[in-house]
Amino acid sequence: MGETTKMTPAARRILDTASELFYSKGIHAVGVETIASEAGVTKKTLYDRFGSKDQLIVAYLEERDQKWREHLFSSMDEVPDDQPLDKILRIFDALENWMSTRNKRGCAFVNALAELSEETHPGRKVIIEEKKWLKELFVSLLEQLQLENPDPIAEQLFILHEGLMVTYSLDIYERGTAGAKETVQKLIETADHKKEEA
Amino acid sequence: MGETTKMTPAARRILDTASELFYSKGIHAVGVETIASEAGVTKKTLYDRFGSKDQLIVAYLEERDQKWREHLFSSMDEVPDDQPLDKILRIFDALENWMSTRNKRGCAFVNALAELSEETHPGRKVIIEEKKWLKELFVSLLEQLQLENPDPIAEQLFILHEGLMVTYSLDIYERGTAGAKETVQKLIETADHKKEEA
DNA sequence: ATAAGAATATACCGATCGGTTTACTTTCAG
DNA sequence: CTGAAAGTAAACCGATCGGTATATTCTTAT
């Protein structure tokens, strides 16, 4: 839907404010009243622009998804297309970079999923789709590496990625992304590759 | 504190009800009114037994922690003490078993952490401690395997564990624990071992 | 027997929740 | 110039939030 939808200035402020509050405090913990006043806007404007809190939540998740993908691609685009392994490693660099500029509140999508328990909530679809997308990204990169069976390895990379993200929200000591990248390399090296060429 | 504390029957019902609702709906999404009536109890009784919603939350997390550790140990105790690798793999079996008997709502601790954003909330300590404990469990088992440097590997196992747990709450296809167990073995096999004996 | 602890029933508290309504003003493109 | 869209201001809605109060009954160990 609203990919490049231009927002009114008030709408922009509302979404920015909501995004920050939803992420840092949690979705249920923040009321529309707070969001409106923090954005310097009346509740009427908020409802005129977004219709409901649920739709505002969806807009928050969609925009975050979009920004994360842009961040990911801008990191991956720095390596040539014929270096899929480096691209994979770049995903983990992008994650570290993404997390280090933010509060220790873990993954916004995982956190949101924890609060949106109703199966029918439209926000859930956004979250599930973004996770599926990432997993498929791993699959396509592993295919370029001539892996015999990329799916199970992609799944391990995905699990590693999710675990890393969650771990950021704990204050446990961590070697950071470096360790995970080593694991990634081990997993790919030890996997079966297609036999090809002369 | 209240390790084996015997509860009054009403308190027992309250905590059971709260535990189920907190996990399945989220903490902020469930009110004390709902918990009390669902447990067949008046609000007065709830407050006489637990003092506040926050303390009830803490009791929920503590008991869940305790039950999870019991579950883990009962699974690990089935293998002899001189087989640390099998014990590690048993942790992942225990996780799969634990998750399969429950709703697809992921890790109760991670979910709770997402909702308890206040640094000072007493529930946060319970969560962080339980995660630290698990990581240390990996460390001690890897030490028994004569690993030169168990910490970074323990961290990878921990990340894998967390990622696996989160992934359960998504409806992404997954090979389940089998793939993760293979990763665990690869990680341990390729790590440096202490040279010893004749 | 009795007194304390555990429970019920019910009414109440101020605050906040998500959301609506009415009336008025500001901005800006056709 | 004008009319629609975007905005402010403020009152209002019923419902629910976490938490307290009072008064009464049931249970049980000493």
Side-chain angles (χ1 to χ4, degrees):
Chain A
M1 315 293 161
E3 301 88 40
T4 336
T5 314
K6 56 192 72 174
M7 290 182 191
T8 66
R12 184 66 271 151
R13 260 150 49 218
I14 292 166
L15 186 49
D16 285 344
T17 306
S19 295
E20 203 214 311
L21 291 175
F22 283 159
Y23 182 59
S24 62
K25 313 270 185 187
I27 290 174
H28 286 336
V30 177
V32 289
E33 194 87 54
T34 307
I35 295 169
S37 78
E38 203 102 332
V41 143
T42 54
K43 255 202 292 186
K44 172 138 190 324
T45 303
L46 190 153
Y47 277 90
D48 282 349
R49 295 299 129 241
F50 294 94
S52 70
K53 188 186 182 182
D54 278 338
Q55 286 173 257
L56 181 56
I57 292 169
V58 171
Y60 154 61
L61 293 170
E62 278 176 346
E63 192 176 68
R64 187 139 188 140
D65 179 19
Q66 179 201 317
K67 283 184 176 170
W68 160 244
R69 294 192 198 199
E70 280 168 10
H71 177 80
L72 237 190
F73 282 136
S74 88
S75 180
M76 287 172 65
D77 285 349
E78 287 169 10
V79 319
D81 284 347
D82 61 345
Q83 304 286 348
L85 176 58
D86 283 345
K87 287 206 182 257
I88 290 174
L89 294 175
R90 278 288 180 153
I91 294 177
F92 288 85
D93 288 328
L95 173 61
E96 182 169 53
N97 191 281
W98 177 267
M99 294 310 291
S100 68
T101 65
R102 281 160 180 87
N103 313 337
K104 286 199 179 298
R105 289 274 303 153
C107 177
F109 300 110
V110 169
N111 291 356
L113 202 63
E115 298 209 67
L116 307 180
S117 62
E118 272 185 72
E119 300 283 352
T120 60
H121 195 293
R124 289 186 70 95
K125 216 185 73 185
V126 181
I127 298 167
I128 306 279
E129 288 305 313
E130 109 87 30
K131 294 301 187 189
K132 280 185 182 167
W133 172 84
L134 180 62
K135 201 205 147 192
E136 286 311 309
L137 180 61
F138 280 126
V139 172
S140 72
L141 288 166
L142 289 174
E143 273 168 356
Q144 290 172 45
L145 276 169
Q146 307 298 326
L147 279 225
E148 193 77 63
N149 195 8
D151 255 70
I153 305 295
E155 197 168 295
Q156 294 306 299
L157 300 191
F158 176 74
I159 289 171
L160 215 54
H161 178 275
E162 295 305 293
L164 202 50
M165 213 153 182
V166 165
T167 307
Y168 277 115
S169 64
L170 280 12
D171 243 342
I172 292 180
Y173 156 78
E174 52 174 292
R175 273 187 80 217
T177 318
K181 281 165 74 178
E182 285 171 26
T183 303
V184 169
Q185 278 173 301
K186 281 182 195 170
L187 281 169
I188 294 173
E189 281 164 17
T190 59
D192 290 334
H193 288 64
K194 288 178 186 166
K195 54 188 77 173
E196 49 146 357
E197 125 271 0
Chain B
M1 320 290 160
E3 301 87 38
T4 336
T5 315
K6 59 192 71 173
M7 292 181 189
T8 65
R12 186 65 269 156
R13 259 150 48 218
I14 291 166
L15 186 50
D16 285 345
T17 306
S19 296
E20 203 214 309
L21 291 175
F22 284 159
Y23 182 61
S24 62
K25 313 269 187 190
I27 290 174
H28 285 335
V30 177
V32 289
E33 195 87 55
T34 306
I35 296 168
S37 78
E38 204 102 333
V41 145
T42 56
K43 256 203 288 187
K44 171 121 186 346
T45 302
L46 189 154
Y47 276 89
D48 282 349
R49 294 299 129 242
F50 294 95
S52 70
K53 188 187 181 181
D54 278 337
Q55 285 173 257
L56 182 55
I57 293 168
V58 172
Y60 154 61
L61 293 169
E62 278 175 345
E63 193 177 67
R64 185 138 188 140
D65 180 19
Q66 179 200 318
K67 283 184 177 172
W68 161 243
R69 293 191 198 199
E70 280 168 11
H71 178 80
L72 237 191
F73 282 135
S74 86
S75 179
M76 287 171 66
D77 285 350
E78 286 170 11
V79 320
D81 283 346
D82 61 344
Q83 304 287 348
L85 176 59
D86 283 345
K87 285 203 184 263
I88 291 175
L89 295 175
R90 277 289 180 154
I91 295 176
F92 288 84
D93 288 328
L95 174 60
E96 182 169 52
N97 190 281
W98 177 266
M99 294 309 291
S100 67
T101 65
R102 280 158 180 89
N103 314 337
K104 286 197 178 301
R105 288 274 303 153
C107 178
F109 299 110
V110 169
N111 291 356
L113 202 65
E115 297 208 69
L116 308 180
S117 63
E118 271 186 73
E119 299 282 351
T120 59
H121 196 292
R124 287 186 69 94
K125 217 185 72 185
V126 181
I127 297 167
I128 307 280
E129 288 306 313
E130 108 89 28
K131 295 299 187 189
K132 280 184 182 166
W133 172 84
L134 180 62
K135 198 204 149 191
E136 287 311 309
L137 181 60
F138 281 126
V139 172
S140 72
L141 288 166
L142 289 174
E143 273 167 356
Q144 291 172 44
L145 277 169
Q146 307 298 326
L147 279 225
E148 194 76 64
N149 194 9
D151 255 69
I153 306 295
E155 198 168 295
Q156 294 305 300
L157 301 191
F158 177 74
I159 290 171
L160 216 54
H161 177 276
E162 295 305 293
L164 202 50
M165 213 152 181
V166 165
T167 306
Y168 278 114
S169 64
L170 280 11
D171 242 343
I172 292 180
Y173 156 79
E174 53 175 294
R175 273 187 79 217
T177 318
K181 280 164 75 178
E182 284 172 27
T183 304
V184 169
Q185 277 172 301
K186 282 183 196 170
L187 282 168
I188 294 173
E189 281 164 17
T190 59
D192 290 335
H193 287 66
K194 287 179 186 164
K195 57 188 77 172
E196 50 148 357
E197 125 271 0

